Amino acid sequence: MDKEERKTINQGQEDEMEIYGYNLCRWKLAIVSLGVVCTGGFLLLLLYWMPEWRVKATCIRAAIKDCEVVLLRTTDEFRMWFCAKIRLLSLKTHPFSSPKSMANKVSNGHAVLTENLAEENRHEISKYSQTQSEQIRYFTHHSVKYFWNDTLHNFDFLKGLDEGVSCTSIYEKHSAGLTKGMHAYRKLLYGINEISVKVPSVFKLLIKEVLNPFYIFQLFSVILWCTDEYYYYALAIVIMSVVSILSSLYSIKKQYIMLHDMVAAHSTVRVSVCRVNEEREEIFSTDLVPGDVMVIPLNGTIMPCDAVLINGTCIVNESMLTGESVPVTKTNLPNPSVDVKGMGDELYSPEIHKRHTLFCGTTVIQTRFYTGELVKAIVVRTGFSTSKGQLVRSILYPKPTDFKLYRDAYLFLLCLVAVAAIGFIYTIINSILNEVEIGVIIIESLDIITITVPPALPAAMTAGIVYAQRRLKKIGIFCISPQRINICGQLNLVCFDKTGTLTEDGLDLWGIQRVENTRFLLPEENVCNEMLVKSQFVACMATCHSLTKIEGVLSGDPLDLKMFEAIGWILEEATEEETALHNRIMPTVVRPPKQLLPESTPAGDQEMELFELPAIYEIGIVRQFPFSSALQRMSVVARVLGDKKMDAYMKGAPEVIASLCKPETIPVDFENVLEDYTKQGFRVIALAHRKLESKLTWHKVQNISRDAIENNMDFMGLIIMQNKLKRETPAVLEDLHKANIRTVMVTGDNMLTAVSVARDCGMILPQDKVIIAEALPPKDGKVAKINWHYADTLTQCSNSSAIDSEAIPIKSVHDSLEDLQVSRYHFAMNGKSFSVILEHFQDLVPKLMLHGTVFARMAPDQKTQLVEALQNVDYFVGMCGDGANDCGALKRAHGGISLSELEASVASPFTSKTPSISCVPNLIREGRAALMTSFCVFKFMALYSIIQYFSVTLLYSVLSNLGDFQFLFIDLAIILVVVFTMSLNPAWKELVAQRPPSGLISGALLFSVLSQIIISIGFQSLGFFWVKQQPWYEIWHPHSDACNTTGSLYGNFSHLYNETEDDPHNIQNYENTTVFFISSFQYLIVAIAFSKGKPFRQPCYKNYLFVLSVIILYVFILFIMLHPVAPIDQALQIVCVPYQWRITMLIIVLVNALVSIMVENFCLDMVLWKVVFNRDRQGEYRFTTTQPAQESVDYWGKCCLSCALDCRKKIPKAKYMYLAQELLVDPEWPPKPQTTTEAKALVKENGSCQIITIT
């Protein structure tokens, strides 16, 4: 076979897939067509549901290069199959250039990125096998086009300017714009620039919904019941299905329309683009292609694509993407060709250079520009390749939710199918032995399958989640992924962002501490005074920010706003008219209020005022380098009015600023002063300044790189900001800790500040030790290493060497393992250390995840990596953030909840209307309630199936069955009412330490189901066989009159029973009546037994609808059993039985109820349930006396299903539990103070490490 048979596309990415080539085979197609006809279309349905079977059944394998159809398989844990048809893009008809050269370029899988096509083609023409082709082969999958790439010998998606393009070439090759010919070719390849969410027609949606396997099974059932003349029940099921389909169609259509409206905002915008000959052309935004130079209008616009800014500055609202309402300033991409250091090799990346990139869907509010030089941006990505397009794709094509509950549910259904198969075989054998007609045998044996697999199961399972979603909405939590609610019930670790989440969003200026002559002055509280007004320190505070005026109101980062308000200065921005009058950019100007400036000498003459103008103190902001979370700093170039030289001001994280300053300007006690502030929980920002060379002109400054500015600075001092804890934070965290839910802080702030806040809010208790892991990357031939420092607790002295051995939890023999608190220590590290550990110390990552509590200075992608690392040790991770830097982590976590008030942020599965972390316990409580409801409903539906299955099987043995109206009464009046009301239990009012099990395959749940099945079968069998032993029993016939044996009580009704029509199905008999009454009560008994309350849901007696429904049904069934009503009996085809037998049935039912409730509530809740729920606490592993019992119960439960299916392996416990157990007996863990862990130099690839104690 050809080696090209199997390839991998999108290698190393989230959507990595294997690809196989196939060609259509006519003889296979003919055989399949014949099979479709023979099976009445069922084979066609099967192939529709299974893409892999469809392709393999109709095609033969072929080389991917020449195939007609590709089969795709995801490489993740779901291993999903897709198929796509190969299409051809013809280049023959295009008049602008040689088609051959174009095919040559595209076969490389990239856009044509240079203007001179002919020269490039001569260079590359020998490389590709398809140079003579005038057609390009491609396929589309999930709205992305994959073109054949001859260099890679594989399919590859068409990239724009976002990959493999240097910053230099952005300016040199692309800033001039495209010719019309180039534009036309690129449009042919990239297609229309739109994120098209087509709203399918109702007919298409209907067909897709109806062809669901569940509804096909319903259709099969209805046809079967109609054949057997069960018209009423069939009609009821049809009505249920129609209602279900219509409601489903309505919700799906509504979601499509909402998504369509969300993305359609930019589809018909007119934009102005620059062409090569400097002419401007008005085109529709749908015609934009990568490489187009787009002019950003003065009054702003909604961006129709991703573009990199090359001229001017924009103020952008990115709330659509990030949920952050604060406007962001975007500056032009630094031009490396005019950079002093000449960083020309740096590749452009929208993520790295996001401060220079305008993203699709974001709103440009204002622009800043030169006269005659428009604000321009080069289009880098269009359509579904844009950031917004990728977001929409993730909504259109979501990954399946992998949750143990759903996997176990499918296994349970398979068990029911296996039970149905047994019944199917039994029915056939029994009917043949009793010489039943073949037609009846077929109908009855198939009917047993429709009874065993409950038709209402999907609707019943969904009900609890829908109710939970409504309850969440009432408390201000909006959910866009309802299936995640159940998963939230399993959360055992929650990561919190600090600023705006645990602490108040706004910062208050506590004071400043200036530096003079390399010494810190005393802290000053009031910055707004005449003494400081002309100081460089205040000048830095006045200019080094990204504030702007929008409709006359100052807006920007809250920290910048507080800092600017503290000095009381005034910010003025040039109007469009003022800018147009000058040949240079009109800067934003800041100036102090007049009352702060020293009074000038009064002028004797009015004309003298002109000479006083230079005395006005104003600073113009010439160039701004915006704040970068990766660099942890921002800087500006400014000029005081009248000064010849410009000034550079910088502010940011103190450690970073100090590293960019002259060492001689930094006070000796800098680290101690900084540590004192951060330990008290203050947010500290450092300021620096330097005079720039006089040769730097306005225009040179516009093109200079920030690295050329941000060095050799003079350290000026510190700004101390106070970030107060939110009032509810300590209480919420205490509730989570009581519920054995670990809490972790992930912040972009300073580490010591984060540790201090963690102590203040109770995340780290006063007696707990904090171990700081400082990881250093390999350098100068030395391997990577981690230095371990013990942070001082509030009661200890500052000298870390004074920490004695008691700082580490001692694992002595005499300590009771039951009382050993392993969680006495916490790890803290910054983002840089975290990255080094991930890369060089993979063996240590799980251990650090077990007790890592504070992660500071974390970049957005590092937050996502942390969530993944925690998930890798089997934690169920929640993430709570303000939606700004946390988008990736919010999406990756099992339950991400954004505190952003903007519902437009679709990054998070949950969004809280109120910016308070009190939503976290509420979400977990509702998740637990929904999860327990799912268990209750599933158990009830399983019992309903088995009880009805056994009733029918018993009756088949006497060639009888349940009647049409009996089925109708059980399925509609009892089952549906009970299922939809038992799901209404609200969540328990507080979080408890136990967690619900994550899957159905656990010892307690299996014991619950199996015990109830045995009890139900036992009492049903008792009634069925006992009735035959009664002295009045006979094989029922229309003239039977068993009631008269007890007296004349029922004599009045006997003639009604005797007038009954012939019963061809043998429904009316004593066995049927007995089984019907006992089974009807059994449904209600198991409903009450399974409807659990504490500790996850409110008690069932508070579910008034459920209680009312059950009471009405009990009373009704009891009434018709003890006091027969002739019309009802006739409708339900019940026969008259003696009163004594009715009392006997009542006793059977009462004993059944007593046994069921006792087994469920005493045996299960008092013994097994507690065993299964005896979980770890916060990752610590506890040896308890009940542990072996739990293992045996779980093992027994899992083995039961293994025996039934012979396909399930024993699932180990969570990795973090194993790890906690190992660490209990590890003498080297946690690391001792003042020790170093070094990575072994390339000995193993798995990141093995050794601990070396430094002496």
Side-chain angles (χ1 to χ4, degrees), residues 513-521 658 662-673 715-718:
Q513 189 154 10
R514 293 184 296 131
V515 170
E516 274 186 17
N517 302 322
T518 69
R519 298 183 73 175
F520 276 115
L521 302 178
K662 298 173 192 167
E664 62 270 18
T665 64
I666 300 169
V668 182
D669 57 346
F670 166 73
E671 288 184 3
N672 292 334
V673 171
F715 189 80
M716 291 201 299
L718 306 171

Side-chain angles (χ1 to χ4, degrees), residues 115-130:
E115 194 181 333
N116 191 342
L117 281 175
E119 185 183 332
E120 278 226 339
N121 288 329
R122 281 198 299 273
H123 177 67
E124 296 181 357
I125 199 161
S126 60
K127 290 185 185 178
Y128 312 117
S129 60
Q130 289 194 339

Side-chain angles (χ1 to χ4, degrees), residues 534-565:
K534 288 195 177 184
S535 68
Q536 295 290 6
F537 194 96
V538 169
C540 184
M541 292 177 72
T543 56
C544 199
H545 53 70
S546 55
L547 300 177
T548 185
K549 279 193 174 177
I550 297 171
E551 295 178 356
V553 179
L554 207 59
S555 66
D557 186 272
L559 187 146
D560 288 348
L561 273 171
K562 286 284 181 188
M563 184 179 74
F564 193 74
E565 286 168 4

